[in-house]
Structures are given as C-alpha cells and as structure tokens.
C-alpha cells in the first residue's frame, strides 16, 4: 500500500496537503513576528477607528487555528473561543501560539486528502467543505495581520517583510 | 480521452483549479466592493503611518493579477507595472478591475493542472512554483485589502463583511 505522500506524488495536484500545511505555517510564522514587533502595551491597547486591538485579533486567530484543525481531524465539534488568559503578557500569547503550531502539525497528519472536499459544519456553525474552511482560517489570518501592519506603521514601527515566511 | 474537468473529479484534490479560480474571484469581488466603499478623494489621498494610498495598493494588485496569470498561461514574461492612468477616477480603476477579471478567467482555462507544480520566474524576477506564485497573488491581495479595511474604519466607514464573496 502506498503512503499518502507517495500517492500525492503520483497525481497532479494544485497543492498537496503537506504543501498547504507548509504554506500556512509560513504565514503563522510571519504573524508570530508581527506579534513580536508590537510594544507590549500597544499590543493590548492600540487600535484605529474603533477596531479590535491586535491582541484581540490574535486571540480570534488562536481560537480558530488549533481548535479548527482538531475538529477537522477528529470530528469533535467545540464552540469558538475568542478569549484566553494572558495577564497582558505577550509572552503568554506567544506560548499559546507555539502550542497551536504543534497541535496543527499533529492533527494535520490525520487529515487524508479525500477529506478536503467533504462537507463539515465547523465550530457547529459554519457549513462548507474542509478545504473552504481551512482557506478561511488562512485568509482570515492574512486579513487581520494586514490590519496589524497598519497598527505598527501608525506607531512608527516597520513591520516584518510580507514575503518572508 | 478524459477532459481536465473529468480527470479532476476522478482524483482526490485539496482544491481543483476551477475551485481555486472561484475562490480568488470571490476575493476579487470583495476587493472591488472595498474600492467602491471609499469616498473618491480618500481612495486617492488617504493613508496611515506613511503607507501607500488604497489607490496605490489597488494598482499594485492590478499590475499583478491579470498580467501574472497571462504570464503563467502563455509563458510570455513582462515587467511588473504598478501605475495605471486613472485621472483620479475610481470608475477608471474599477473598469481596469473588471477587465482583469475577464482576462484572468480567459487565461486560467489555459493552465493545466500539471502546470501548478512547475517552476517559473514570475515577472522575470520571482522564482517559485506556479502554485506558490498564484497563492502569493491572492495572499497579497488579502493583505492589502485588510489594510484598506483599517483606512475605511479610520474614515468612519463600515467595510463590507469579510466573509461575503
């Protein structure tokens, strides 16, 4: 029996599951550096036009990424969580970020290629394919991180280069 | 001989070429609505923290999307163009946007699934796979559009919902 990796090599693919994971973790690595670039206070307090702080946006991302992939891998639904104990400490947020990185990697290996086109109701609420859900996770992260770039620029801080992953 | 569409149906895929096109055009439709949401003057003049205006960011996207896919489909390289005649008119920009939508659709049908994993040097400068280039086009659009959301919020304007495509 061929392994999943061998099967992928045999068939033309737009993007393989392992390439998509690498692509996303590259984005997540950039987002981590954007979090690091914020002064601690501004991370928890700065905002523009009544928007959420970058800490709040980051917690949304934390609530989606690890738990979302766990749900896809295991089929166990949980509610969307958007708040985490952080004691106004970036280090705690970064710790949660790194834990999510490991959880995503571990659960990803349980997702077969056939699963990407299956229909799910992620967080018990949002119906779509596994593929469209994962793309939403990634796109939503890029979207909010782009907002973080404006916050940093408005603070006179140069954000990390977008193309470096 | 099977058509490309039939072959795709037979083989498990993370995302098919036609799904990826639909995904991107959904994003491009949202970006179009973000352009529309800007007051004409603010579109060409408003910025935060020394960043480019949303008109300038939009021209970057126009320079990438249509020409980038044309290059992938035809193999003809051209330089990256980031300025277009617009006479400070959003209508002209939207006209270019709609023309790009048609060009992308027309050229996309020429890209076989085998091509996505081939290596190219897009705009004669950026080496990567066709897949990674197209993902860069999409991600870069989401990134800059997210910045446009902050510009709109800072102007007291509610942007279109991110999840509506």
């Amino acid at each position: 029996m061929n392994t999943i990796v061998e099967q992928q090599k045999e068939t033309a693919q737009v993007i393989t599951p392992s390439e998509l994971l690498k692509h996303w973790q590259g984005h997540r690595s950039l987002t981590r550096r954007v979090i690091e670039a914020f002064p601690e206070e501004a991370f928890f307090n700065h905002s523009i036009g009544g928007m959420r702080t970058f800490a709040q946006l980051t917690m949304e991302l934390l609530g989606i990424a690890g738990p979302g992939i766990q749900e896809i891998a295991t089929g166990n639904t949980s509610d969307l969580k958007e708040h985490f104990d952080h004691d106004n400490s970036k280090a705690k947020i970064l710790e949660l970020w790194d834990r999510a990185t490991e959880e995503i990697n571990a659960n990803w290996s349980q997702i077969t290629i056939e699963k990407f086109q299956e229909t799910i109701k992620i967080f018990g609420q949002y119906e779509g394919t596994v593929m469209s859900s994962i793309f939403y996770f990634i796109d939503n992260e890029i979207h909010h991180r782009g907002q973080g770039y404006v916050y940093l620029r408005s603070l006179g801080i140069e954000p990390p280069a977008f193309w470096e992953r």
Side-chain angles (χ1 to χ4, degrees), chain A:
Chain A
M1 209 184 88
N2 289 342
T3 65
I4 288 174
V5 172
E6 280 165 352
Q7 284 170 21
Q8 284 170 206
K9 277 185 190 157
E10 286 165 15
T11 312
Q13 295 275 337
V14 171
I15 187 167
T16 65
S18 56
E19 285 168 346
L20 184 59
L21 175 62
K22 193 181 165 198
H23 176 76
W24 187 17
Q25 293 290 23
H27 272 303
R28 294 188 73 260
S29 161
L30 174 58
T31 305
R32 192 188 197 284
R33 280 177 286 132
V34 172
I35 297 168
E36 286 181 302
F38 271 87
E40 189 118 18
E41 211 203 305
F43 180 70
F44 291 102
N45 295 310
H46 186 65
S47 92
I48 293 175
M51 293 176 63
R52 283 174 286 173
T53 63
F54 202 62
Q56 288 172 309
L57 296 173
T58 301
M59 285 191 284
E60 180 188 295
L61 303 179
L62 283 170
I64 289 173
I69 295 302
Q70 186 172 48
E71 185 171 330
I72 288 167
T74 66
N76 299 327
T77 301
S78 57
D79 286 341
L80 189 58
K81 185 181 168 189
E82 296 192 58
H83 293 282
F84 297 84
D85 291 333
H86 54 65
D87 297 334
N88 290 319
S89 153
K90 265 198 339 181
K92 284 215 171 182
I93 296 282
L94 289 170
E95 204 184 299
L96 292 169
W97 194 265
D98 295 337
R99 203 178 303 162
T101 303
E102 298 307 316
E103 284 171 5
I104 292 165
N105 287 342
N107 281 308
W108 194 275
S109 61
Q110 309 302 312
I111 308 173
T112 61
I113 191 158
E114 286 74 22
K115 200 150 192 174
F116 283 87
Q117 298 286 343
E118 287 176 11
T119 300
I120 49 158
K121 206 173 194 176
I122 198 83
F123 301 113
Q125 285 186 74
Y126 310 103
E127 198 167 298
T129 58
V130 165
M131 176 273 285
S132 69
S133 302
I134 294 174
F135 274 66
Y136 190 89
F137 301 170
I138 301 172
D139 295 347
N140 183 59
E141 176 171 342
I142 300 167
H143 173 69
H144 286 317
R145 188 183 58 213
Q147 298 171 339
Y149 273 60
V150 187
Y151 288 9
L152 286 174
R153 288 283 183 192
S154 76
L155 294 163
I157 297 164
E158 185 167 341
F162 176 67
W163 55 85
E164 280 172 19
R165 305 287 156 82

